[in-house]
Amino acid sequence: MSFRAKYEAASRTHRSLLCIGLDPDESRLPRGVPVARYLQQIVEATSDLVCCFKPNAAFFEQRGERGWRDLRATIDAVPGDVPVLLDAKRGDVGSTAAAYARAAFEELGADAMTVNGWGGRDAVEPFLAYDDRHSFIWCRSSNPGGVELQDLRLADGRPLYERVAALAVEWNTRGNVGLVAAATYPEQAARLREIAPHLLLLIPGVGAQRGAVAAAVRAGADADGGGILVAASRSVLYAGEAVGARDLAGYAAAARAAAEKLRDEIEEARAVGV
């Protein structure tokens, strides 16, 4: 099953456009709980509330061999009917990009990944060659400094991020290209939806980064009220801190409660917009 088909099935079955990011910070885990076990419990507690899980490669890679083992274990823990999007933002010349794609799609078994498109079509093509996998082109990021490059004006007056989106549409010959469009910039996300009406949009920035859920959904949803993956990480993963959870079971319960609340907020916004 392709990423898009798996995403749409999970979204429909779970009544959800929520994508939970898995960004492990050992300093924030319950004392004595290993990373892999913690994330496995979070996945188990929330898998019926999501359309996707999004492990962030950097949080695993920084821990060396242990981190790679934990990443593989975390991906393996996700139920087969829920897609996995590896957030790695890889991108380089063709041969290197091909190696990155093999690592993500063949070695780790991810269903999708985030891709840095600055190398142009030939650098993105090795990812797109996997017809059943999805590549989300990093287009409008959630960090404040993104405006320094992404908002630069081209000779025709368009901001650079719009040109990236237009290229992504051109690259979508296999139906497996998406865009990253930050919740923290809803007006720009709405513009990206105009440029790419049929592409999936990964929308990070809600939760800890304080992007407004309703604005993000209104900006990014397609004509059918879907087509988006609204991503939250820390606000769900570490919800146990806010309620004073003391053990893994408490953290998992808090994560589920936070995920359910956010899932329902997204659905409410979606219902208003449809």
Side-chain angles (χ1 to χ4, degrees), residues 4 172 177 193 196-200 222:
R4 181 149 196 164
N172 191 39
V177 177
R193 176 51 77 197
H198 305 299
L199 267 57
L200 295 180
D222 62 19

Side-chain angles (χ1 to χ4, degrees), residues 57-102:
F59 287 87
F60 297 90
E61 291 171 351
Q62 67 178 341
R63 298 172 51 245
E65 186 176 346
R66 289 184 304 134
W68 276 104
R69 288 199 301 267
D70 289 343
L71 176 56
R72 189 185 299 275
T74 299
I75 292 174
D76 289 346
V78 175
D81 61 342
V82 177
V84 174
L85 194 171
L86 182 65
D87 193 355
K89 298 181 179 69
R90 304 297 195 217
D92 210 320
V93 298
S95 59
T96 307
Y100 280 138
R102 283 194 297 272

Side-chain angles (χ1 to χ4, degrees), residues 1-2 6-7 10 14 43 47 75-84 111:
M1 185 182 293
S2 70
K6 189 181 286 191
Y7 152 78
H14 300 158
V43 167
S47 61
I75 292 174
D76 289 346
V78 175
D81 61 342
V82 177
V84 174
D111 299 291

Side-chain angles (χ1 to χ4, degrees), residues 3-155:
F3 171 85
R4 181 149 196 164
K6 189 181 286 191
Y7 152 78
E8 290 175 347
S11 177
R12 183 172 56 252
T13 301
H14 300 158
R15 195 174 59 84
S16 179
L17 297 173
L18 174 63
C19 173
I20 294 181
L22 303 175
D23 307 354
D25 180 346
E26 287 184 287
S27 70
R28 302 181 70 175
L29 305 190
R31 185 180 298 275
V33 177
V35 167
R37 185 181 173 208
Y38 183 79
L39 294 178
Q40 287 163 357
Q41 287 297 305
I42 297 297
V43 167
E44 182 176 331
T46 61
S47 61
D48 64 329
L49 299 172
V50 304
C51 65
C52 187
F53 284 106
K54 181 175 70 67
N56 189 310
F59 287 87
F60 297 90
E61 291 171 351
Q62 67 178 341
R63 298 172 51 245
E65 186 176 346
R66 289 184 304 134
W68 276 104
R69 288 199 301 267
D70 289 343
L71 176 56
R72 189 185 299 275
T74 299
I75 292 174
D76 289 346
V78 175
D81 61 342
V82 177
V84 174
L85 194 171
L86 182 65
D87 193 355
K89 298 181 179 69
R90 304 297 195 217
D92 210 320
V93 298
S95 59
T96 307
Y100 280 138
R102 283 194 297 272
F105 297 146
E106 297 182 31
E107 184 65 22
L108 291 171
D111 299 291
M113 72 181 301
T114 52
V115 173
N116 190 326
W118 285 104
R121 184 176 192 125
D122 61 328
V124 173
E125 179 60 31
F127 300 99
L128 306 185
Y130 290 81
D131 292 358
D132 59 340
R133 312 301 169 97
H134 229 76
S135 296
F136 287 84
I137 307 301
W138 196 23
C139 184
R140 194 63 178 87
S141 61
S142 58
N143 62 304
V147 300
E148 295 172 4
L149 289 175
Q150 294 160 19
D151 282 2
L152 287 176
R153 295 286 168 173
L154 303 176

